[in-house]
């Protein structure tokens, strides 16, 4: 178990949300979404995986049976890694997830903490963390890092992190380092898509967060954070939205940088596909 204290937060009202956020570099807002809104996205994401699990394993699985579904996920991951990765990307393109990410409640809460003109920094993410779905530890348990290095957006850019299932300490809830946002950018070394902080961090100052489905965590992209340890056999499903403040001065002055690379591959992934008759059949 990580040596961190459990969050001990007071209920947050509209008036003190900004001062608490400025002080700590993060804020938890309880019941921001309804559990039903979150469950609808979670159900849909599992349904997307179920198509490929059926194709790969040759059998239908019951998405509502947690053990059966998770066993199917683990087997799918082993049998067709490429399709697994692609499916993981497809669930990030769910219309329902994108719709939630453009909800007015989000614009309002971001404005209340000072992002005058919130603008989407990158498409939504969805993560399904489990040691059984990762080829190395960084893929299911991220070390301490700051997101600013990846986004390089406005200085007040934020991450909105929320679980799709109740996410307690045992399931590896996120851990944050309060006040770390004010220290600016730490040195980091590359770990694929994130940069891990190598310098010594005050271990006993990390705070372990526990969120229920519907709760959200907003943190500054400068706030140091890391995954907790998922000690359960279950998958930890979460999503993240990221926003810049379009009118933050340095963002304007730096010409609105956008370091995410998103482009089509020049090769045909299935050479010889499609035949003309396969296309014709679609329009018959
Ligand atoms: O959910 C996690 O464990 C890590 C997420 C994270 O570090 C991030 O969204 O920046």
């Amino acid at each position: 178990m990580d040596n961190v204290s459990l969050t001990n937060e007071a209920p947050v009202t509209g008036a003190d949300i900004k001062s608490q956020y400025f002080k700590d570099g993060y804020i938890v807002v309880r019941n921001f979404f309804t559990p039903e809104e979150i469950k609808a996205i979670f159900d849909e994401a599992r349904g997307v995986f179920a198509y490929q699990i059926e194709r790969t394993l040759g059998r239908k699985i019951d998405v509502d049976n947690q053990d059966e579904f998770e066993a199917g996920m683990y087997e799918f991951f082993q049998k067709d890694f490429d399709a697994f990765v692609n499916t993981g990307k497809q669930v990030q393109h769910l219309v329902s997830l994108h719709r939630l990410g453009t909800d007015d409640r989000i614009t309002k809460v971001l404005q209340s903490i000072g992002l005058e003109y919130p603008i989407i920094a990158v498409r939504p993410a969805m993560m399904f963390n489990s040691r059984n779905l990762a080829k190395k530890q960084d893929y299911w348990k991220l070390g301490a890092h700051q997101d600013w290095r990846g986004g390089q957006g406005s200085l007040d850019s934020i991450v909105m992190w929320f679980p799709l299932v109740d996410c307690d300490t045992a399931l590896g809830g996120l851990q944050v380092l309060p006040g770390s946002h004010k220290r600016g950018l730490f040195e980091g070394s590359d770990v694929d898509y994130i940069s891990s902080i190598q310098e010594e961090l005050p271990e006993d100052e990390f705070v372990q967060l526990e969120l229920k489905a519907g709760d959200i965590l907003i943190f500054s992209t400068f706030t140091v954070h890391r995954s907790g340890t998922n000690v359960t056999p279950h998958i930890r499903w979460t999503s993240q939205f990221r926003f810049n403040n379009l009118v933050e001065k340095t963002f304007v002055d730096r010409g609105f940088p956008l370091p995410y690379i998103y482009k089509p591959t020049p090769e045909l992934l299935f050479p010889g596909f499609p035949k003309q008759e396969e296309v014709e059949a679609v329009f018959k």
Side-chain angles (χ1 to χ4, degrees):
M1 183 70 71
D2 300 295
N3 177 27
V4 295
S5 61
L6 208 63
T7 183
N8 179 20
E9 73 213 52
V12 177
T13 63
D16 54 17
I17 183 171
K18 187 172 176 182
S19 57
Q20 188 168 335
Y21 171 70
F22 274 28
K23 174 172 143 303
D24 293 334
Y26 73 93
I27 184 108
V28 175
V29 186
R30 302 286 174 196
N31 305 307
F32 184 79
F33 298 122
T34 66
E36 293 75 27
E37 285 176 298
I38 298 302
K39 184 174 180 310
I41 290 170
F42 180 43
D43 287 351
E44 208 182 336
R46 291 193 330 281
V48 173
F49 272 101
Y51 284 109
Q52 288 297 329
I53 292 174
E54 183 176 350
R55 180 191 67 83
T56 311
L57 309 187
R59 62 174 193 272
K60 266 198 191 308
I61 46 141
D62 179 359
V63 292
D64 293 321
N65 178 327
Q66 187 180 19
D67 290 340
E68 184 182 328
F69 177 74
E70 291 186 339
M73 287 283 280
Y74 302 151
E75 207 178 331
F76 173 33
F77 175 81
Q78 291 298 335
K79 288 219 164 114
D80 192 343
F81 179 68
D82 288 345
F84 183 88
V85 170
N86 285 337
T87 309
K89 290 179 183 162
Q90 294 296 347
V91 293
Q92 310 198 14
H93 291 83
L94 286 176
V95 170
S96 55
L97 182 65
H98 286 242
R99 193 177 286 135
L100 189 71
T102 58
D103 194 281
D104 215 30
R105 286 167 291 180
I106 295 180
T107 308
K108 289 206 170 84
V109 76
L110 297 185
Q111 285 172 337
S112 79
I113 57 165
L115 278 76
E116 201 179 335
Y117 190 156
I119 187 164
I120 294 165
V122 64
R123 66 173 178 260
M126 192 183 289
M127 295 171 78
F128 19 89
N129 293 60
S130 158
R131 65 188 82 211
N132 297 324
L133 300 176
K135 293 201 171 180
K136 55 182 185 177
Q137 180 170 306
D138 292 308
Y139 291 168
W140 70 272
K141 179 173 155 60
L142 288 177
H145 65 281
Q146 296 169 303
D147 280 23
W148 197 84
R149 203 173 268 281
Q152 298 180 49
S154 64
L155 290 179
D156 52 1
S157 53
I158 65 96
V159 181
M160 181 176 288
W161 182 103
F162 57 98
L164 303 182
V165 293
D166 292 351
C167 185
D168 60 8
T169 304
L171 199 61
L174 209 71
Q175 300 178 354
V176 292
L177 192 56
S180 52
H181 60 307
K182 293 192 180 154
R183 285 190 48 190
L185 196 58
F186 287 66
E187 286 297 320
S189 75
D190 286 349
V191 181
D192 292 337
Y193 61 98
I194 62 141
S195 180
S196 183
I197 295 170
Q198 296 304 316
E199 67 183 84
E200 198 75 30
L201 294 168
E203 190 58 32
D204 52 357
E205 289 177 24
F206 272 94
V207 169
Q208 173 71 60
L209 299 176
E210 296 196 327
L211 274 76
K212 294 212 181 296
D215 298 344
I216 60 163
L217 161 71
I218 299 173
F219 58 92
S220 157
T221 54
F222 287 100
T223 300
V224 175
H225 62 285
R226 66 186 182 194
S227 313
T229 306
N230 181 354
V231 296
T232 76
H234 301 303
I235 301 171
R236 191 194 71 162
W237 292 80
T238 65
S239 238
Q240 296 87 36
F241 299 140
R242 292 178 166 78
F243 291 89
N244 285 312
N245 177 11
L246 190 79
V247 295
E248 189 270 319
K249 184 165 180 339
T250 75
F251 192 43
V252 177
D253 291 349
R254 284 177 288 130
F256 296 149
L258 198 66
Y260 293 100
I261 301 162
Y262 182 47
K263 58 176 186 160
T265 169
E267 302 94 38
L268 276 180
L269 297 174
F270 294 89
F273 177 84
K275 304 257 184 293
Q276 185 179 347
E277 54 273 23
E278 289 173 303
V279 179
E280 275 174 355
V282 172
F283 299 106
K284 274 223 169 86

